[in-house]
Amino acid sequence: MTLLLIRGDSYEKLKNALADVDRHAELTIIGKPKIIVPEAADEILGHILGEVKKPCKKACVAKIAEKAPKAIDRIRKIHPPAHIVVISERYGDIYYKLLDDFPKLPILKGYYKSKKKK
């Protein structure tokens, strides 16, 4: 299981990015995405990338079934309207802290998985 940290300017852009991940990148989102405080998202990004050029206004976290390399490869091929960061076990404390906090976070309302074609 891998986590996606999605940062953007509005919840609509976050939901569109999630829809792109589901439909176009064909990644399997597990459960409901959760809202995270934008400052916390920026702090996580700072630990991963070292520097945050532009703070975000809204952020969410989603679980996906695929492993990180596959997720990175597929997300790289689409152009979602928000900044997506793939977080795997490789990031240790950050990954496990997010997993522990995930059930306590509020649900991102208004996002629905696309219906799978037969």
Side-chain angles (χ1 to χ4, degrees):
M1 179 175 42
T2 305
L3 297 174
L4 297 181
L5 175 66
I6 305 172
R7 305 167 61 247
D9 294 331
S10 68
Y11 287 125
E12 291 307 312
K13 287 187 178 183
L14 297 181
K15 289 185 265 187
N16 285 337
L18 283 163
D20 286 353
V21 164
D22 185 26
R23 290 184 198 118
H24 303 299
E26 297 177 353
L27 297 174
T28 309
I29 296 173
I30 301 169
K32 302 230 181 238
K34 305 283 185 107
I35 296 170
I36 187 170
V37 178
E39 293 80 15
D42 291 340
E43 186 178 327
I44 291 166
L45 184 66
H47 284 293
I48 293 171
L49 295 181
E51 127 180 45
V52 178
K53 292 181 183 175
K54 180 183 172 194
C56 67
K57 295 177 183 168
K58 306 291 180 190
C60 71
V61 178
K63 293 181 187 179
I64 58 170
E66 290 77 11
K67 296 284 185 191
K70 184 177 188 178
I72 292 168
D73 185 50
R74 289 188 179 180
I75 290 170
R76 197 176 275 163
K77 291 177 183 173
I78 65 171
H79 299 286
H83 183 212
I84 300 176
V85 181
V86 178
I87 302 173
S88 66
E89 299 91 3
R90 174 180 174 213
Y91 294 105
D93 292 345
I94 295 168
Y95 176 79
Y96 293 109
K97 176 84 170 103
L98 269 175
L99 268 184
D100 287 344
D101 291 346
F102 195 82
K104 302 171 201 162
L105 297 172
I107 293 171
L108 176 65
K109 293 183 177 142
Y111 169 74
Y112 301 98
K113 292 181 186 177
S114 64
K115 292 183 174 48
K116 299 296 177 192
K117 295 178 183 176
K118 292 182 181 178

